[in-house]
Amino acid sequence: MPRVTDAVRTPDELLESLPEFPFGSSVREWDGLRLAHLDEGDGPPVLFFHGEPTWSFLWRKVIPPVRDAGFRCIAPDLPGFGRSDKPLDLDWYSYDRHTAAIAPLLEELDVRDATVVVHDWGGPIGLRLAVEHPERIARMVILDTGLFTGHQKMSEAWIAFRDFVQRTDDLPVGMLVRRACKRDPGDEVTAAYDAPYPNPESKAGARAFPLMLPTSPEMPGAQAGQRVLEALRGDERPKLVLWADSDPVLTPETGERFAAALGTEVHHVIADASHFLQEDSGPEIGRLIADWLGSAP
């Protein structure tokens, strides 16, 4: 795997004094990159995987109820996002590489008997880690995501989003998040999603993720997604599925189909929430996760 030399490192001062985000960040090295993660609380580990185009800031309202219930909350920033370094080359970004970038974190933190909480692109990555590292991951919490096999039907809303990303060098990250919330999160929160990106070049990851989603079985990543889906069909580890009632891209019907494909169901529909349901109903989601983990055998 080639080492990365051309990457943007976001100045720390751009990520200070963000709203409702009192968390410190830990860093590690991987393949020449500095990658960041949150590590809050003590107890059994819960890993939170963000997607596109967000970062660990997305989990700021979900983490406190889980942490306060006696769990260690770990939330990595994927390469290209948040406090992590951002390779400039769109072709650097891939499903395989992002899974490979996060896997060492499980070993470095000696994560065992863990729960993964996944959303958006964090789903393919986190669920693949659950399949490939079953000795470390014992439970899964699934929010508005999917596994991309090339067979899945993509909505017109997603196709329009992908086409917009493809032709937009300076992607308006905060605006994209803001528009995919049911309730307007406000200017400060929108600015916090823009904060990791000091220039258009730093947005390569945010642009690459929609473009690397396989829309046919022959595309890179499709076979890996199929393997994960097939492995999870008969997987008996406990799963909690939470889905927004107003997600225009990953609709409630999509959630029901995905849950059924994993041998489970949607356990809670989050009311008045869109794709970024953590913004719309973060504390509620945190409580649901904490209560579920507290009642697990």
Side-chain angles (χ1 to χ4, degrees):
M1 190 179 292
R3 293 181 66 79
V4 175
T5 53
D6 295 326
V8 171
R9 179 164 296 172
T10 302
D12 290 337
E13 56 266 25
L14 294 183
L15 300 176
E16 294 173 354
S17 304
L18 300 180
E20 304 174 284
F21 196 67
F23 310 119
S25 189
S26 302
V27 296
R28 63 190 178 96
E29 295 291 324
W30 180 80
D31 196 42
L33 297 175
R34 187 182 73 176
L35 302 182
H37 63 275
L38 308 183
D39 193 346
E40 296 283 325
D42 297 296
V46 182
L47 294 103
F48 296 83
F49 292 101
H50 73 81
E52 145 74 21
T54 57
W55 57 294
S56 56
F57 181 78
L58 177 73
W59 300 107
R60 72 193 182 284
K61 295 190 283 188
V62 179
I63 285 174
V66 180
R67 177 199 60 200
D68 295 348
F71 295 90
R72 179 186 183 187
C73 297
I74 301 163
D77 289 340
L78 297 175
F81 299 86
R83 287 190 171 102
S84 290
D85 287 350
K86 300 163 185 68
L88 299 177
D89 183 2
L90 263 70
D91 291 336
W92 182 90
Y93 295 86
S94 74
Y95 183 25
D96 287 347
R97 184 165 280 140
H98 274 74
T99 307
I102 298 302
L105 184 65
L106 304 178
E107 188 171 340
E108 290 169 25
L109 299 183
D110 195 24
V111 166
R112 300 179 186 276
D113 193 34
T115 302
V116 292
V117 183
V118 302
H119 175 252
D120 193 269
W121 258 103
I125 294 166
L127 295 176
R128 183 171 173 181
L129 291 172
V131 166
E132 296 179 352
H133 301 275
E135 75 285 358
R136 294 190 179 274
I137 295 171
R139 287 163 298 276
M140 301 163 227
V141 180
I142 297 164
L143 292 73
D144 292 54
T145 186
L147 283 166
F148 307 124
T149 65
H151 294 288
Q152 76 285 340
K153 178 174 169 53
M154 304 307 296
S155 66
E156 290 184 11
W158 183 85
I159 292 168
F161 168 62
R162 181 200 59 190
D163 293 347
F164 172 74
V165 169
Q166 194 158 23
R167 64 176 183 267
T168 307
D169 290 336
D170 193 4
L171 203 64
V173 170
M175 184 196 78
L176 291 174
V177 176
R178 190 175 201 164
R179 286 185 175 178
C181 297
K182 186 69 179 286
R183 290 182 287 278
D184 185 355
D187 292 343
E188 274 194 310
V189 168
T190 302
Y193 283 108
D194 283 322
Y197 307 105
N199 51 44
E201 293 75 22
S202 64
K203 300 178 182 181
R207 294 187 62 217
F209 265 62
L211 306 180
M212 74 189 198
L213 190 152
T215 53
S216 75
E218 293 74 37
M219 288 180 65
Q223 288 188 352
Q226 187 69 42
R227 282 198 309 272
V228 175
L229 180 60
E230 289 171 0
L232 289 176
R233 285 191 200 280
D235 193 303
E236 295 185 354
R237 281 175 288 182
K239 301 176 186 70
L240 174 67
V241 182
L242 311 176
W243 216 271
D245 70 345
S246 301
D247 189 330
V249 176
L250 296 171
T251 63
E253 293 76 21
T254 301
E256 291 168 5
R257 287 196 301 272
F258 185 53
L262 301 182
T264 186
E265 61 184 326
V266 176
H267 300 96
H268 295 277
V269 174
I270 307 300
D272 297 319
S274 190
H275 182 66
F276 294 111
L277 60 169
Q278 301 93 330
E279 286 295 339
D280 290 320
S281 301
E284 177 190 357
I285 292 165
R287 287 191 296 270
L288 287 168
I289 294 170
D291 289 348
W292 182 70
L293 290 174
S295 63

